[in-house]
Amino acid sequence: WYAVDLVSLDKKWRQVWDQNSTNGEPHAAASSDGQKHSYILPMFPYPSGTLHLGHLRVYTIADVIARYHTLKGDKVLLPMGWDAFGLPAENAALERGVPPDGWTKSNITKMKSQLDVMNGSWDWSRELTTCDPDFYKHTQKLFLLLHERGLAYQAEAEVNYDPVDKTVLANEQVDANGFSWRSGAKVEKRKLKQWFFRISEFSEELLKELDSLAKDGAWPEHVISQQRNWLGKSTGAVVKFPLMALGRIKIDTALEVFTTRPDTLFGVQYLALASNHPVVAQLAKHDPELQAFLDTLPGLPPDSKVGYLLPHIRGINPLAFHEKTPDATKESLPIYVASYVLGDYGEGAVMGVPGHDTRDHAFWREHNIDQPIRMVLTASEDESTTVLENEPYVEHGYMTEHSGIYEGKHSKEAGDMMIRMLEGAELAKPGTKWRLRDWLISRQRYWGAPIPIIHCDSCGPVPVPDEQLPVLLPKVDNHWAQGKAGNALESAPDFVKTECPKCSGPARRDTDTMDTFVDSSWYYARFADPQNPNQLFSPEAGKALPVDIYIGGVEHAILHLLYARFIFKFLATTPLLPQYSQADALSAEPFKRLITQGMVHGKTYIDPKSGKFLKPDEVDLTDPSNPLVVTTGEPTTVAFEKMSKSKHNGVDPTEFTSKYGVDPTRAHMLFQAPVADVLNWDESKISGVTRWLQKLHDQVVALAKSPEESLPAKEYFAKRGSSPPSNDKEKLSKWDSETALWRETQNKIESITRGYDKIYALNTVVSDLMTLTNELVQQKHADQGIRRQVADAIVRLMAPITPAFAEECWSLLHPSSGSIFKTTSFPVQDGSLPMLQAVHIKCAVQINGKLRATVTIPRPPSDLQGDALRDWLVDAILETEEGRSRFGEGKYNVRSARRT
Ligand code: ANZ
Ligand code: ZN
């Protein structure tokens, strides 16, 4: 016996892997034609400078899955790279007075060395970095491909301007209260010319394919539903309301609104416009009071009910032109400017139906407190159930007498009929609206891929010709040294001044750079062919796509994943991905399976008196199970929370792994929680894993001494008589116990395989491995040859999780064989042996719902069912000694027991 030094095992095997220049790398496995390819990808990291436990978790999961597929014989692709453009590097540059590339590169070096000690099998030969000109040259090509197809365009847009970071933000980067996600500044609205990608062109396909991603849980349900909401498809109608001007104002002749409920048209009591509606702008010119109102709007909470009644215009319900329409609906309608009407949705105008819409109801109550509310729908046909008076009735239902000729009809049918009728008079048409907006990709920032466009006064915007790519970021050292804010590209004259590629006249380069989501919308495809100088990737290399299993955090549920899906669909329509025909290009999806892992929370100690988070030196951990506040001697409150500096609960993964070893850390990480759940990081709990590995190592060392060429299990059991001995009880139970270990092993192979395939259940893989190891330890009298084969199976089953430890055990069991990842395969359950069916089973005995005993009885004949099976079981229980003494003669009424 000797204690295994788990920390030095990591180093030992990493060295062996490095020497064979494989890094234990799965892809080196001999590839034969017809070999299954598996592309496994964890979301690539932003090089912030330090690897945290969240990284460790996602990269462990990815590596475990990759190694599992390698052992199963797949040709695996597991690449790694860096999402290296973006604001933090630029901010760091301003703080330090040095260019952002230096900061980024040194962070990459540091994080790479941290990643390198994770016993991972990433293929560094495919490493890519998005701020590298070799990469962003192709991001620029992607832009030009989109531009050529009309999918990249420039438009004047009201944008979110962050006055602190001095940049335009995407809607997604502004929180619900109008603050920047990064700087926390109050975001302002400004009108600027911006570049957009026309993602809206793909909205129908982006929505439709969510159904196929939802199948068999390929993507998590919550990600699917978030994307569905983000796309936000609404079907309804656009309805025209003619306008009347009171007095001499010149105004449009009609106003259009989008509604999902045309059936409520008889119940319209007002119209409301968004503050940026063109009609409002026309009126504000002559109405200072309106202008003053508009000035008060920015910054109001989203649920505000403020409104301004436009004094000089009124609207007319299009149904008013029908003679049978009730008088109430024929009356002209007041028109408001209301803050709850969104300027960038639908038509920027709504028809207000206080009787049947919650927001309209609240608005009407606020502004017309004593006006009656018209209910045009009711819950049931016979009107026996009346709707509540003070609440809107928002469901579908039946039309009331206020709905003229439609009275009594179901609202769905009536709505369709009204639209068809109004369509004839060109007063309405069916319409579909999307919540999804085009993707604003311009950033007025330095640290991104420059937009490859040249602006010429005579030719307009001209694409940079292919041979002039990449458009390199210029050196602007002075900008950093002086800590200037704003876009450094604008103040780099040598960059801006250029020649028009078309007319050779003087021209200006575009000074915007691309959103970093553009880089990550296609990087997974570049991994297929990362060094290709001419193309994003060659069509041949592109056959490695799509990604089979993509792993990352739920924070990317919408944007990154939606943008990547859009860009992949686009690429599938180009010659780069010939595997997709024109017909199915738009159904192409980049990530077949998506695994979202939970967060890692750290242990925090809180002083119950002050409620403050305690620093490590403020906690007395003499008795780890009873942590005390040093100053007061009182017990601390312990909680697990998101790791952060202020909570003093961060854990440095490198420190941790050098203390306990990498493999134990990986196993601990998987064991503590299912993949999708929050992982509460508790250092002390790693002892369970360490003990398990030690125990297994002891077994392997001992078994390595027994001859390697023992009889294979099949032959061994055949020799012992391949079917269970009949009748003789003693022989039967001997058979059972001799076969138990092998049987348990086969069962565990099955459940462990299931755990690896499911991925979300990787924690059960570790617990199964622990159980099986215990079984091996306990069954010390089983045949040594069988025990050795069991140990062999355990080592192969665990190799994806603890690669260095498995290599060590493998080398003990098979001294001259070479790496476990190259010389063996993942165990397959052997179900062919008869003893896989235990002869005896355990049977729980309940009486009146209470568990009274567990007894071991023979396995019942497989043809028994129902009452016959029950009678057989009761007899068998009463034949056992325990059964007889507990439930036999006189103790219970066995006849009634039979009936229950
Ligand atoms: C009248 C009505 C009556 C409505 C009713 C609903 C219920 P979704 O489902 O999100 O597409 N709407 C239309 N444009 C709007 C805008 N720019 N700002 C705020 N609200 C707007 O919502 C569609 C509904 O939201 C539309 O249907 C409209 O109100 C409102 F009993 O029209 B509805
Ligand atoms: Zn020109």
Side-chain angles (χ1 to χ4, degrees):
W1 183 90
Y2 59 92
V4 57
D5 178 353
L6 293 164
V7 178
S8 68
L9 278 192
D10 292 330
K11 278 197 207 92
K12 171 178 167 187
W13 286 99
R14 266 203 308 276
Q15 247 166 35
V16 175
W17 293 331
D18 284 348
Q19 268 162 23
N20 301 335
S21 74
T22 60
N23 199 15
E25 181 192 304
H27 348 278
S31 76
S32 58
D33 276 2
Q35 200 182 1
K36 193 175 165 244
H37 288 244
S38 288
Y39 181 1
I40 317 265
L41 185 67
M43 292 180 184
F44 67 162
Y46 178 77
S48 58
T50 37
L51 203 74
H52 53 67
L53 280 182
H55 290 124
L56 200 66
R57 190 175 194 192
V58 62
Y59 300 125
T60 297
I61 295 164
D63 185 55
V64 168
I65 300 167
R67 288 185 183 273
Y68 165 65
H69 282 272
T70 302
L71 275 170
K72 288 220 308 185
D74 296 359
K75 194 166 157 56
V76 169
L77 177 60
L78 178 67
M80 185 58 81
W82 308 97
D83 188 12
F85 270 139
L87 268 181
E90 198 162 334
N91 292 340
L94 289 171
E95 259 166 47
R96 287 149 213 252
V98 292
D101 50 343
W103 183 83
T104 306
K105 292 216 174 92
S106 73
N107 283 351
I108 290 177
T109 311
K110 192 167 154 215
M111 286 175 78
K112 194 171 170 181
S113 69
Q114 288 178 302
L115 267 180
D116 250 337
V117 298
M118 276 186 59
N119 293 349
S121 55
W122 351 111
D123 180 353
W124 285 117
S125 73
R126 288 176 190 262
E127 181 180 5
L128 59 77
T129 306
T130 56
C131 67
D132 189 337
D134 290 345
F135 182 90
Y136 73 70
K137 170 180 180 180
H138 299 284
T139 307
Q140 292 172 339
K141 274 189 183 245
L142 174 65
F143 177 99
L144 292 174
L145 284 173
L146 289 158
H147 188 255
E148 203 179 285
R149 289 266 293 272
L151 295 170
Y153 66 93
Q154 226 179 349
E156 183 89 6
E158 189 166 88
V159 294
N160 306 304
Y161 189 80
D162 177 337
V164 169
D165 276 342
K166 296 198 170 46
T167 190
V168 172
L169 299 174
N171 285 339
E172 305 81 87
Q173 295 173 326
V174 182
D175 70 18
N177 300 316
F179 292 95
S180 163
W181 71 322
R182 237 184 237 285
S183 72
K186 180 86 197 162
V187 173
E188 298 166 4
K189 294 275 179 199
R190 288 202 188 169
K191 263 207 162 156
L192 288 175
K193 221 167 189 193
Q194 300 287 311
W195 285 99
F196 291 87
F197 283 170
R198 210 182 291 280
I199 187 173
S200 59
E201 183 123 339
F202 289 67
S203 44
E204 202 69 70
E205 286 78 18
L206 286 167
L207 179 66
K208 189 164 146 252
E209 285 315 305
L210 287 177
D211 290 338
S212 62
L213 294 176
K215 260 186 224 136
D216 304 321
W219 276 42
E221 190 43 54
H222 62 102
V223 176
I224 304 264
S225 64
Q226 284 185 70
Q227 293 224 346
R228 196 168 274 139
N229 285 339
W230 192 262
L231 293 164
K233 182 181 183 176
S234 286
T235 45
V238 175
V239 181
K240 236 184 223 175
F241 287 76
L243 291 180
M244 308 186 320
L246 317 173
R248 293 184 171 193
I249 301 168
K250 258 202 169 158
I251 205 75
D252 292 2
T253 51
L255 216 148
E256 294 194 330
V257 307
F258 172 67
T259 178
T260 47
R261 294 293 301 276
D263 52 304
T264 63
L265 204 46
F266 281 97
V268 176
Q269 295 184 265
Y270 67 95
L271 299 171
L273 307 177
S275 58
N276 67 346
H277 194 282
V279 166
V280 176
Q282 287 174 35
L283 293 172
K285 279 186 213 144
H286 315 284
D287 185 348
E289 209 178 315
L290 170 57
Q291 188 54 54
F293 168 78
L294 294 175
D295 293 340
T296 65
L297 290 182
L300 283 180
D303 59 347
S304 162
K305 291 190 275 287
V306 300
Y308 176 87
L309 178 64
L310 294 169
H312 305 301
I313 61 168
R314 289 184 78 84
I316 297 166
N317 192 318
L319 292 170
F321 303 105
H322 196 277
E323 54 185 292
K324 300 228 172 86
T325 292
D327 287 345
T329 301
K330 285 185 175 162
E331 280 168 21
S332 72
L333 302 163
I335 306 178
Y336 291 85
V337 180
S339 67
Y340 78 97
V341 182
L342 306 171
D344 59 354
Y345 184 68
E347 305 297 328
V350 301
M351 56 185 226
V353 186
H356 302 285
D357 180 88
T358 315
R359 286 166 306 174
D360 296 351
H361 186 95
F363 183 83
W364 190 252
R365 281 252 168 273
E366 178 94 4
H367 294 271
N368 295 279
I369 194 78
D370 13 86
Q371 301 272 349
I373 286 176
R374 203 182 314 141
M375 308 298 280
V376 298
L377 289 180
T378 177
S380 71
E381 225 162 339
D382 56 12
E383 288 188 49
S384 61
T385 19
T386 42
V387 289
L388 288 173
E389 240 169 54
N390 279 319
E391 268 172 49
Y393 173 72
V394 299
E395 312 292 328
H396 270 280
Y398 294 87
M399 312 299 286
T400 66
E401 76 279 8
H402 296 297
S403 300
I405 54 166
Y406 299 94
E407 183 178 356
K409 286 208 170 3
H410 190 267
S411 57
K412 284 207 171 115
E413 189 197 353
D416 289 347
M417 288 170 73
M418 285 184 232
I419 294 307
R420 245 176 287 136
M421 192 257 290
L422 291 174
E423 217 178 342
E426 289 187 5
L427 286 166
K429 52 181 186 294
T432 301
K433 300 288 173 193
W434 295 80
R435 203 182 99 94
L436 181 74
R437 300 275 83 100
D438 275 344
W439 174 14
L440 195 168
I441 60 130
S442 292
R443 294 292 177 277
Q444 287 69 48
R445 281 271 146 187
Y446 172 84
W447 196 230
I451 286 179
I453 292 284
I454 291 169
H455 298 275
C456 168
D457 284 340
S458 11
C459 313
V462 182
V464 173
D466 203 58
E467 64 279 5
Q468 289 177 26
L469 294 178
V471 177
L472 289 173
L473 281 171
K475 277 202 172 304
V476 288
D477 294 359
N478 274 341
H479 181 89
W480 312 120
Q482 294 163 17
K484 287 189 197 158
N487 184 1
L489 293 182
E490 276 166 18
S491 43
D494 294 345
F495 175 82
V496 177
K497 256 174 74 185
T498 187
E499 192 176 85
C500 170
K502 257 195 193 158
C503 70
S504 301
R508 283 161 294 108
R509 275 191 199 287
D510 201 296
T511 52
D512 284 354
T513 55
M514 287 183 244
D515 180 6
T516 55
F517 277 122
V518 179
D519 308 327
S520 55
S521 72
W522 80 281
Y523 79 106
Y524 52 89
R526 180 70 177 171
F527 274 133
D529 196 8
Q531 274 101 35
N532 192 321
N534 304 315
Q535 289 176 289
L536 280 78
F537 50 89
S538 74
E540 184 53 33
K543 286 184 187 150
L545 300 170
V547 175
D548 291 289
I549 303 176
Y550 196 36
I551 308 135
V554 277
E555 67 275 19
H556 293 297
I558 305 173
L559 301 177
H560 161 56
L561 289 168
L562 196 65
Y563 296 148
R565 293 181 61 219
F566 157 51
I567 292 299
F568 194 71
K569 285 180 193 301
F570 164 70
L571 290 173
T573 66
T574 71
L576 289 169
L577 290 173
Q579 66 261 45
Y580 297 101
S581 69
Q582 280 307 319
D584 53 30
L586 293 180
S587 59
E589 286 289 335
F591 313 119
K592 279 201 224 161
R593 240 185 116 182
L594 174 71
I595 303 293
T596 50
Q597 95 279 2
M599 296 221 296
V600 184
H601 284 183
K603 204 174 194 173
T604 51
Y605 299 97
I606 302 159
D607 182 343
K609 270 214 186 106
S610 63
K612 277 203 180 116
F613 296 109
L614 297 165
K615 292 188 189 126
D617 60 357
E618 293 170 334
V619 187
D620 174 359
L621 285 170
T622 324
D623 174 6
S625 62
N626 184 29
L628 305 172
V629 184
V630 170
T631 48
T632 62
E634 271 186 59
T636 68
T637 310
V638 176
F640 287 91
E641 307 222 11
K642 200 176 156 173
M643 289 187 179
S644 81
K645 286 210 177 91
S646 63
K647 292 178 189 152
H648 316 292
N649 63 349
V651 173
D652 176 2
T654 316
E655 224 170 82
F656 195 91
T657 53
S658 48
K659 185 163 167 197
Y660 295 102
V662 173
D663 282 356
T665 307
R666 289 165 58 115
H668 174 60
M669 189 131 225
L670 296 183
F671 182 49
Q672 287 299 307
V675 164
D677 292 9
V678 167
L679 170 59
N680 288 334
W681 191 258
D682 191 342
E683 177 165 349
S684 63
K685 291 211 171 130
I686 199 172
S687 59
V689 168
T690 328
R691 249 182 282 128
W692 160 50
L693 296 177
Q694 178 66 57
K695 218 184 314 180
L696 180 58
H697 191 261
D698 295 348
Q699 295 296 317
V700 167
V701 169
L703 288 167
K705 294 188 191 112
S706 67
E708 198 171 337
E709 55 286 345
S710 55
L711 274 187
K714 217 171 227 167
E715 287 168 41
Y716 169 80
F717 287 113
K719 226 165 127 193
R720 313 248 0 196
S722 63
S723 51
S726 53
N727 298 330
D728 185 329
K729 281 234 177 91
E730 216 145 279
K731 278 192 189 154
L732 265 175
S733 64
K734 186 156 175 267
W735 162 269
D736 255 4
S737 71
E738 277 178 1
T739 54
L741 179 59
W742 190 251
R743 188 168 54 238
E744 181 67 6
T745 306
Q746 302 313 308
N747 289 339
K748 285 288 182 275
I749 289 174
E750 200 269 337
S751 68
I752 288 172
T753 306
R754 232 184 312 125
Y756 277 121
D757 284 333
K758 273 195 193 154
I759 302 176
Y760 283 113
L762 282 175
N763 58 323
T764 67
V765 171
V766 181
S767 61
D768 279 349
L769 286 164
M770 289 174 165
T771 312
L772 190 54
T773 304
N774 286 338
E775 200 79 9
L776 175 67
V777 174
Q778 275 157 27
Q779 306 263 352
K780 40 180 169 291
H781 301 300
D783 177 72
Q784 290 309 295
I786 294 295
R787 294 187 71 239
R788 190 188 163 110
Q789 289 168 58
V790 170
D792 192 284
I794 297 177
V795 170
R796 284 185 289 153
L797 289 167
M798 76 193 303
I801 298 171
T802 55
F805 180 83
E807 289 275 31
E808 175 74 9
C809 293
W810 191 250
S811 74
L812 290 167
L813 291 168
H814 309 279
S816 50
S817 93
S819 168
I820 187 170
F821 294 100
K822 296 197 187 145
T823 56
T824 184
S825 58
F826 198 77
V828 179
Q829 183 191 39
D830 182 351
S832 69
L833 293 172
M835 80 289 168
L836 286 180
Q837 292 267 307
V839 184
H840 286 101
I841 58 168
K842 280 194 177 140
C843 182
V845 183
Q846 279 189 6
I847 291 176
N848 294 334
K850 280 213 180 94
L851 182 68
R852 299 291 169 161
T854 310
V855 293
T856 303
I857 59 167
R859 175 178 291 276
S862 56
D863 53 350
L864 283 185
Q865 277 180 352
D867 287 356
L869 175 61
R870 189 200 54 212
D871 290 350
W872 191 95
L873 287 173
V874 172
D875 286 340
I877 292 165
L878 290 175
E879 263 173 46
T880 64
E881 217 176 276
E882 172 155 36
R884 217 177 6 253
S885 65
R886 302 279 311 267
F887 314 115
E889 283 307 301
K891 301 227 159 48
Y892 284 91
N893 183 343
V894 175
R895 288 184 65 87
S896 83
R898 275 176 207 269
R899 260 182 275 115
T900 55

